[in-house]
Amino acid sequence: MTREVWITGQGLLSPLGQDLETTWAGLHDPAAIAAAADTGFLPPFTIFPASLPPLDKFVPKRGDQRAMGPLMLSGCVAAAMAMEQAGLAGAAPEVLKQINLMVGVGGGERDEKVDETILAALNGRDDGNLLAEQLQTELRPTLFLAQLPNLFAGNISIVLGVSGSSRTFMGEEAAGVDAVRVAFERIQGGQADLFLVGSAFNASRQDIPLLYQAGGYLLEDPKRPFWQRPKAGMCLGSAGAFLVIESRESAEARGAKPLARLKAVVNDRCRRDPGQATANAAREWAQVAPKPGCAVLSAATGVGPVTAEEHDFLLAKVNGPDQVQVRATAAALGHSMECAFVTNLVLAIKAARTGKLFPALTDDPVEAAPARDFDQVVVSTWGHRRGEGLALVERI
Amino acid sequence: MASRAVAVTGIGIVTSLGQGAEENWQKLVAGESGIHRITRFPTDNLRTTIGGSVDFLLEQPFSATQLSFALARTAAEEAIAQAKIGAPGDFPGDLFLASPPVEHEWPQRVRLDRQAPGQPHTYAGMMGAAAQAGEDLYVDFLNGTIADKLADEFGTKGSPITLTTACASGATAIQLGVEAIRRGQTKAALAIGTDGSIHMEALIRFTLLSALSTNNEDPTKAARPFGKGRDGFVMAEGAGALVLEDAEAARARGATILGYIRGVGEAADTFHRTRSNPSGEAIIRAINNALGDAGITPDDVDYINAHGTSTPENDKMEAFGIQAVFGDKAGDVPVSSNKSMIGHALTAAGAVEAVISILTLQHQVLPPTINHDGPQDIPLDFVPNEARPAHVDLILSNSFGFGGQNVCLVIGRNPD
């Protein structure tokens, strides 16, 4: 069975705005993009923070607001937007029981002040008894995201009443791709009808950037050309992004209007020996078979040399018979890790509906193809370390 | 919907009782407990000092990632060897891995703090040391690393999935594999649940939530699922691995089929972050969804492998849910909890218990709920204290998670 998959709702929070329209406008505005970059929070690194809208509209209960940190709130707000646009906000319990929740997220709500207090007390010693005493004094009796990452989804279920199912994928960029992919496959294969799927990432932290800096991935000089950076080429950016996707039959039965068609979602991995990622991407491109002249929203991370490899792959598509137009959104939004793919899917809806892109975000020839109208948008996601994913969004 | 039967052709298991199906089964039917005093870190001033840690696989020190990987690899090796599928390093199907979230632990933070070039005891200082500190501080603490290493080692195909649905995770991994096979996407899947995350902060965080048993005196008596005096779960480690196959493809290659995943069902609870709805709605719905998916009725179920964590709340609600679904006949269906012996292996539990369910079908013996003495307050047959021979064709295996994720599996001896 192969069924058509429609996108009927979207929600987006980005460093450029608190919804898709504002973000889209910001992508046209070099001053807004420059203003979105923050060099003061985590010097010498640049991050792209995002702010939350007033919460009461999206998370009405104060208790729910208090139960979540910025990461979970970003997800909850974006999910609420997507549900509202799809006409599912406040739906009857019978409907909510049919909605499957799929998310791809990481951790990141440690109390950093507590960690620093305990480190000061330990003062470099491996003293288990002292650590035990400190942890028992300093930690609060609350549920903790790094212990239960499914709380991200659990809170969305509680706030929005979505109760069909709830699954959380982990594992950096690929987790975001696979969350959408598995939902897509289940709809296409007739196993389920209706999904709320998405992710969030909070760059305004220290624990998560510390992890990526331990890998040597954070960019110090933001003036380095995006597509040709060294390994230390990544600026993290905050985001929250959700979609409602469903079978065409489901959307028509409940009178929901499609925003776009989700034609394909594929993902694979390799050990990243030279050329392997390109081989994966080429195979996926052939499988997805986008029309010549389509747009490509790349979630390239800036991390070299893989970003340069993706650049070469895409430049061949720009100059060859595919004649694609490319934009690297992380150059304006920062890299939102698990959320990068879904963020670009939301942007792809707008691009597919209007047939137009925002101006080039880098000076590289890969973004210099002449503007022409299109009705298909490829979303390409090569993870900073693993995962090569591709999706195709199409105007209806 | 037309769908393909899904066979289990290989199983692997590691728990606090030991390594491998044979050793685990012998100890389970003997009613042995794997719970012991924790020696991995000092517990002198902790409220809980016991656990089902797996201390025989790796030399200390190790991180949760390293142990979770070692557990998963050990279980997967056993399962793949039994299934005799593919070639070494070339498993012909997808990987679905339930594994605990990881992040830097205290040894890593202290190590970074010691190396900080300035601003001691701060994240800013650690950030200054991070790039030179060693790549293990990055690779070992990515959530995708365990699946990535398993994909390399076993040669699974496609993008490996790492998932969590808290204490239901292991069952969700199986469910994802079953769904992929049913829609014809793959002929085989490797479903693994693993958890090696007993470290000090994890234990203390669960303690602060009042979730853990403090019956420290005799560790083997601490886990008391469904019993009076149960006062919390016992944290444990382990892994369960299953080779799942399109039954037709398995038969065609002459594989020995150990059992079938007949049904999968799930439901999310929107009531509260740790408590289930007092109506039991989501638990009941998850059980009914699994039975419905298998095309069976409660009357067909021969035995229930319970979630049975030994917390006052879970066991009350689970028994309530069973009574609601099975009605007057609830008392006739034997229900037992493996966690009475192996503790609660959290992310791994659903997969470990699915493996034990397969063993139950093979041996036609029900493992007991141990530590079940004194008067009962729940009128169900918990297979108290001693294993029991029985005719078992269909097993319902329950997994209910903190955060409201509920997953049930129907595991059968026959394809239909």
Side-chain angles (χ1 to χ4, degrees), chain A residues 64 110 115-116 124 126 146 150 155 163 165-168 170 172 178 185 191 269 271 384 386, chain B residues 101 103 109 114 121 123 138 143-144 148 152 159 162 164 179 183 185 201 266 268 273 285 402 405:
Chain A
D64 287 338
R110 287 193 73 81
D115 287 346
E116 291 179 343
D126 288 312
N150 57 308
N155 276 303
S163 65
S165 65
S166 168
R167 301 184 190 172
T168 299
M170 303 185 294
E172 299 71 55
D178 286 327
E185 289 166 349
Q191 291 178 322
R269 54 83 70 179
R271 296 186 208 198
H384 74 284
R386 286 288 184 267
Chain B
E103 58 175 10
R109 282 188 204 102
R114 277 197 213 111
H121 320 318
Y123 270 94
Y138 158 71
N143 279 317
D148 191 59
D152 271 344
S159 179
T162 304
T164 177
E179 288 170 352
R183 61 179 176 258
Q185 188 172 317
E201 185 177 320
E266 66 193 324
R273 287 162 188 86
R285 185 153 50 97
F402 265 164
Q405 279 101 53

Side-chain angles (χ1 to χ4, degrees), chain B residues 382-415:
Chain B
F382 292 113
V383 196
N385 303 318
E386 293 201 9
R388 182 194 303 164
H391 179 83
V392 198
D393 280 337
L394 280 169
I395 297 176
L396 172 70
S397 178
N398 292 337
S399 294
F400 306 135
F402 265 164
Q405 279 101 53
N406 306 292
V407 182
C408 299
L409 304 174
V410 175
I411 303 172
R413 194 148 67 132
N414 305 307

Side-chain angles (χ1 to χ4, degrees), chain A residues 333-368:
Chain A
L333 302 172
H335 178 53
S336 57
M337 203 54 68
E338 291 88 357
C339 196
F341 176 72
V342 191
T343 295
N344 279 316
L345 275 181
V346 174
L347 295 172
I349 295 169
K350 178 77 177 175
R353 287 173 69 85
T354 57
K356 291 185 180 7
L357 282 172
F358 40 86
L361 300 172
T362 70
D363 295 331
D364 193 279
V366 79
E367 293 197 50

Side-chain angles (χ1 to χ4, degrees), chain A residues 43-364:
Chain A
F45 309 111
T46 301
I47 64 155
F48 291 78
S51 58
L52 287 162
L55 292 174
D56 291 354
K57 179 176 175 218
F58 303 101
V59 187
K61 287 187 187 157
R62 291 293 159 93
D64 287 338
Q65 294 178 11
R66 279 195 300 271
M68 291 183 263
L71 173 70
M72 289 196 273
L73 285 169
S74 306
C76 216
V77 167
M81 288 179 187
M83 287 279 286
E84 187 176 342
Q85 185 170 37
L88 291 167
E94 297 73 46
V95 177
L96 295 171
K97 278 179 196 170
Q98 304 304 319
I99 304 177
N100 300 287
L101 180 59
M102 294 279 293
V103 305
V105 286
E109 290 197 344
R110 287 193 73 81
D111 186 329
E112 291 161 342
K113 286 279 161 268
V114 164
D115 287 346
E116 291 179 343
T117 301
I118 296 174
L119 283 172
L122 292 172
N123 197 22
R125 284 167 296 180
D126 288 312
D127 182 336
N129 281 314
L130 181 58
L131 177 60
E133 180 196 311
Q134 285 289 314
L135 287 169
Q136 290 179 102
T137 313
E138 298 292 338
L139 294 180
R140 300 177 55 75
T142 50
L143 287 169
F144 177 54
L145 197 61
Q147 191 174 20
L148 296 168
N150 57 308
L151 279 178
F152 178 92
N155 276 303
I156 291 172
S157 283
I158 288 170
V159 172
L160 300 175
V162 172
S163 65
S165 65
S166 168
R167 301 184 190 172
T168 299
F169 288 179
M170 303 185 294
E172 299 71 55
E173 294 91 344
V177 183
D178 286 327
V180 183
R181 176 176 64 88
V182 170
F184 174 83
E185 289 166 349
R186 290 184 66 204
I187 297 171
Q188 202 184 37
Q191 291 178 322
D193 272 316
L194 183 53
F195 281 84
L196 175 64
V197 54
S199 180
F201 183 78
N202 181 11
S204 298
R205 298 195 54 78
Q206 299 183 85
D207 52 358
I208 298 295
L210 178 65
L211 175 65
Y212 294 110
Q213 181 55 10
Y217 289 104
L218 299 188
L219 176 73
E220 288 198 24
D221 176 6
K223 295 193 179 57
R224 301 283 301 236
F226 180 86
W227 291 100
Q228 307 299 338
R229 289 176 186 167
K231 179 183 175 188
M234 182 161 74
C235 296
L236 296 171
S238 298
F242 267 82
L243 297 171
V244 172
I245 64 173
E246 56 190 307
S247 66
R248 176 179 179 161
E249 293 85 342
S250 160
E252 286 179 341
R254 56 182 203 86
K257 289 202 173 63
L259 300 175
R261 184 181 291 117
L262 188 57
K263 282 276 283 183
V265 186
V266 292
N267 199 21
D268 207 342
R269 54 83 70 179
C270 60
R271 296 186 208 198
R272 291 281 170 90
D273 295 335
Q276 283 185 333
T278 299
N280 273 353
R283 195 180 56 254
E284 290 171 354
W285 190 282
Q287 190 182 339
V288 168
K291 292 180 199 167
C294 68
V296 179
L297 293 180
S298 164
T301 62
V303 164
V306 68
T307 293
E309 188 177 330
E310 183 179 348
H311 169 272
D312 294 350
F313 173 77
L314 291 174
L315 189 61
K317 299 285 178 203
V318 170
N319 294 331
D322 288 298
Q323 295 193 304
V324 304
Q325 306 165 64
V326 176
R327 298 290 183 270
T329 55
L333 302 172
H335 178 53
S336 57
M337 203 54 68
E338 291 88 357
C339 196
F341 176 72
V342 191
T343 295
N344 279 316
L345 275 181
V346 174
L347 295 172
I349 295 169
K350 178 77 177 175
R353 287 173 69 85
T354 57
K356 291 185 180 7
L357 282 172
F358 40 86
L361 300 172
T362 70
D363 295 331
D364 193 279

Side-chain angles (χ1 to χ4, degrees), chain A residues 367-382:
Chain A
E367 293 197 50
R372 55 155 84 189
D373 283 1
F374 52 82
D375 64 2
Q376 286 192 334
V377 183
V378 170
V379 172
S380 156
T381 300
W382 294 28

Side-chain angles (χ1 to χ4, degrees), chain B residues 115-387:
Chain B
Q115 296 174 17
Q119 297 174 272
H121 320 318
T122 65
Y123 270 94
M126 290 193 283
M127 193 70 86
Q132 286 76 43
E135 215 195 15
D136 62 308
L137 282 179
Y138 158 71
V139 174
D140 275 5
F141 300 93
L142 288 176
N143 279 317
T145 286
I146 299 173
D148 191 59
K149 289 171 70 173
L150 291 168
D152 271 344
E153 178 143 352
F154 295 108
T156 55
K157 304 298 177 273
S159 179
I161 300 285
T162 304
L163 69 105
T164 177
T165 50
C167 315
S169 304
T172 303
I174 294 167
Q175 180 180 28
L176 281 158
V178 167
E179 288 170 352
I181 291 169
R182 281 182 178 175
R183 61 179 176 258
Q185 188 172 317
T186 179
K187 295 282 184 217
L190 179 58
I192 308 175
T194 186
D195 204 314
S197 62
I198 296 185
H199 51 75
M200 189 189 282
E201 185 177 320
L203 187 82
I204 289 172
R205 283 192 182 273
F206 278 122
T207 295
L208 290 170
L209 293 171
S210 303
L212 298 183
S213 172
T214 56
N215 280 329
N216 297 312
E217 202 161 303
D218 180 353
T220 66
K221 299 270 192 284
R224 314 176 64 79
F226 303 105
K228 277 203 163 171
R230 66 180 187 272
D231 71 333
F233 72 84
V234 176
M235 272 185 91
E237 296 176 327
L242 297 90
V243 173
L244 305 174
E245 285 191 67
D246 180 313
E248 208 172 294
R251 279 192 288 269
R253 72 173 184 89
T256 302
I257 292 176
L258 311 174
Y260 296 84
I261 308 296
R262 293 275 301 272
V264 293
E266 66 193 324
D269 199 329
T270 61
F271 181 71
H272 188 269
R273 287 162 188 86
T274 54
R275 283 181 285 128
S276 41
N277 190 323
S279 73
E281 188 274 332
I283 287 175
I284 294 166
R285 185 153 50 97
I287 296 175
N288 281 327
N289 285 346
L291 298 179
D293 187 52
I296 62 170
T297 69
D299 286 350
D300 299 319
V301 174
D302 298 312
Y303 162 67
I304 299 172
N305 185 313
H307 188 54
T309 58
S310 182
T311 64
E313 167 86 7
N314 174 80
D315 296 1
K316 183 180 80 182
M317 289 312 303
E318 183 169 11
F320 178 80
I322 290 169
Q323 286 167 322
V325 173
F326 289 78
D328 294 345
K329 296 188 175 164
D332 301 335
V333 187
V335 180
S336 72
S337 169
N338 307 147
K339 293 184 181 78
S340 62
M341 295 172 278
I342 59 179
H344 187 356
L346 301 167
T347 312
V352 165
E353 288 158 24
V355 167
I356 295 171
S357 295
I358 292 287
L359 291 168
T360 302
L361 290 174
Q362 287 188 298
H363 292 273
Q364 295 287 295
V365 174
L366 309 178
T369 306
I370 66 164
N371 300 322
H372 221 277
D373 36 47
Q376 306 299 317
D377 57 355
I378 304 172
L380 295 177
D381 172 8
F382 292 113
V383 196
N385 303 318
E386 293 201 9

